[in-house]
Amino acid sequence: VVKSLTINGVLPIGVTVSYTGNGRTDVGTQEVVATVSGANYEDLVLKADLTVAKADITGIGFADGSFVYDGTGKSLAITGALPTGATVSYIGNIRTDAGTQEVVATVSGVNYEDLVLKANLTITKADITGVTFTGGSFFYDGVVKSLTINGVLPIGVTVSYSNNSRTDAGSQTVTATIYGGENYNNLIINSVLTINKAPQTITFVSPGVLGRNAGMVNLDVSASSGLPISLSVDDASIATVNGTRMNILRLGTVTVTAIQSGNANYEAAPPVSITIQIANDGTETPLPIRVHQAVSPNGDGVNEFLMIEGIVDYPENKLTIFDKSGKVLAEIERYNNRDRVFTGQYVHDATYYYILDIKVDDRWQREKGFFVVKRSVN
């Protein structure tokens, strides 16, 4: 707005005043000349300075600002409308990394007093996203297992693990500590590392038909784990086992079962059974059985009944026993060396005779012979 000066006082009648240089808008000082004149008066010349002073700038704000780190530069700005001709300049008004700095805003103009404002520009650390840490499950194989995070770490971010190594079966908690560095918050994630027991199998190769006089036979049996095998037989009167060796005792068919019960790192293997036949070599007797020739029913556990080796494999059979006079003492069908046997308990010590009929390959065959009952051994 234009500013001007005026004289003070009351002019006489017929007297006027004129001004020179009496108008100013911008800041500054200029001389104003007032000439008072009239017909009846000497001219009066007066001088004064007209000064326009700089104004204060108002309505401008400059507040602190906070941003989350995202890799781009951040800055602050004043608020409010600048007066005509005024401008603003900043010092320290750019920041990318996390932290705080002071920003100075100077508002200036020809007709205004400079306005200096200060505010804090803050970049806060960002949270780490896009990274996961899931549990892992493995089967035991003797090799060390560990877990790793999933996702891409931002630049400057690192990860370290604790308790992240396991070989044997079991579970443990693994901690991944992600260090955010200058611009990210640290992130701690837990997960579970599990080693499951490994499955295993048993390989058991049948030796085929074995001869009665084969003695101790090595059996071809093993576990995929390499752990020791345990063997058992269903009829210890025919054969026994010691480790992976089978000791042949009599004619017959025996089922051998292999087990491996597992350990801390292996599951139990499914049992495997094979059936092994113990047979005559073809020259010892015309029938695939063998009748023992001694019975001693004295309670010592040896020869307590008439043992017929291999008879269980031929359930269709009939045993007839008679004395030297031809008197039939017993007729036993389906003789089985268990509950259908001749014990000799009710006969005297003597020699007795038998006729054994068995069905072999759908054909009945007969064997005759003798045996001795004797309760005491000299």
Side-chain angles (χ1 to χ4, degrees):
V1 178
V2 177
K3 306 298 183 182
S4 60
L5 301 178
T6 58
I7 63 173
N8 300 314
V10 179
L11 293 175
I13 297 172
V15 175
T16 60
V17 61
S18 62
Y19 296 94
T20 301
N22 192 21
R24 189 175 184 91
T25 302
D26 294 329
V27 170
T29 299
Q30 64 189 38
E31 185 180 67
V32 179
V33 178
T35 301
V36 182
S37 59
N40 298 312
Y41 295 90
E42 292 288 337
D43 287 347
L44 175 62
V45 178
L46 302 172
K47 297 180 179 180
D49 289 333
L50 171 59
T51 299
V52 178
K54 290 185 177 183
D56 291 331
I57 298 173
T58 60
I60 301 298
F62 194 39
D64 294 343
S66 181
F67 306 87
V68 177
Y69 172 82
D70 64 4
T72 62
K74 308 297 180 184
S75 60
L76 303 179
I78 61 170
T79 58
L82 290 175
T84 302
T87 59
V88 60
S89 63
Y90 299 95
I91 298 174
N93 195 25
I94 183 70
R95 188 175 187 92
T96 301
D97 294 329
T100 299
Q101 66 189 42
E102 184 180 70
V103 180
V104 178
T106 301
V107 183
S108 58
V110 175
N111 297 310
Y112 297 91
E113 295 289 347
D114 287 350
L115 175 64
V116 178
L117 302 172
K118 296 180 180 180
N120 288 323
L121 170 59
T122 299
I123 307 296
T124 61
K125 291 185 176 184
D127 291 331
I128 297 172
T129 59
V131 176
T132 58
F133 192 38
T134 56
S137 181
F138 308 87
F139 282 104
Y140 171 81
D141 61 3
V143 179
V144 177
K145 308 297 183 186
S146 60
L147 303 178
T148 58
I149 59 171
N150 302 310
V152 179
L153 292 177
I155 295 174
V157 175
T158 59
V159 60
S160 67
Y161 301 94
S162 61
N163 203 32
N164 193 24
S165 176
R166 189 175 188 94
T167 303
D168 293 331
S171 295
Q172 66 191 47
T173 299
V174 180
T175 300
T177 301
I178 303 175
Y179 299 97
E182 182 180 1
N183 295 311
Y184 293 90
N185 293 312
N186 291 344
L187 178 63
I188 298 177
I189 313 175
N190 292 321
S191 193
V192 177
L193 169 60
T194 300
I195 307 296
N196 297 306
K197 288 185 177 183
Q200 59 169 324
T201 58
I202 293 173
T203 300
F204 200 172
V205 180
S206 174
V209 178
L210 297 176
R212 183 184 183 278
N213 298 320
M216 192 71 75
V217 177
N218 290 317
L219 297 178
D220 186 1
V221 60
S222 63
S224 60
S225 64
L227 296 174
I229 295 293
S230 177
L231 298 180
S232 62
V233 295
D234 65 341
D235 191 341
S237 68
I238 298 173
T240 59
V241 288
N242 182 10
T244 58
R245 305 181 73 193
M246 185 172 72
N247 184 28
I248 296 171
L249 303 176
R250 297 182 177 91
L251 298 177
T253 299
V254 64
T255 298
V256 184
T257 299
I259 63 171
Q260 210 312 301
S261 301
N263 62 6
N265 291 317
Y266 285 94
E267 299 285 358
V272 176
S273 297
I274 64 171
T275 299
I276 301 174
Q277 182 181 9
I278 313 301
N280 287 318
D281 62 9
T283 62
E284 301 171 13
T285 175
L287 294 182
I289 50 88
R290 178 177 294 197
V291 180
H292 285 204
Q293 292 184 302
V295 177
S296 58
N298 56 12
D300 66 356
V302 179
N303 296 326
E304 295 291 337
F305 60 90
L306 181 62
M307 169 64 69
I308 304 178
E309 296 183 24
I311 196 66
V312 176
D313 292 340
Y314 304 93
E316 294 189 64
N317 63 70
K318 180 180 178 181
L319 176 68
T320 303
I321 297 175
F322 50 93
D323 62 18
K324 63 181 180 179
S325 67
K327 180 182 177 180
V328 175
L329 303 178
E331 288 183 328
I332 304 173
E333 294 185 359
R334 305 185 71 83
Y335 201 95
N336 61 10
N337 289 338
R338 295 186 181 95
D339 56 350
R340 303 182 67 82
V341 297
F342 177 76
T343 63
Q345 285 182 306
Y346 304 108
V347 299
H348 299 291
D349 288 4
T351 299
Y352 296 90
Y353 303 89
Y354 68 87
I355 296 175
L356 177 60
D357 295 301
I358 66 172
K359 194 173 185 179
V360 181
D361 297 330
D362 294 326
R363 186 170 63 89
W364 284 95
Q365 299 184 46
R366 171 171 288 186
E367 177 177 297
K368 298 179 180 180
F370 69 92
F371 62 91
V372 175
V373 175
K374 187 175 183 181
R375 287 171 172 78
S376 62
V377 178
N378 293 329

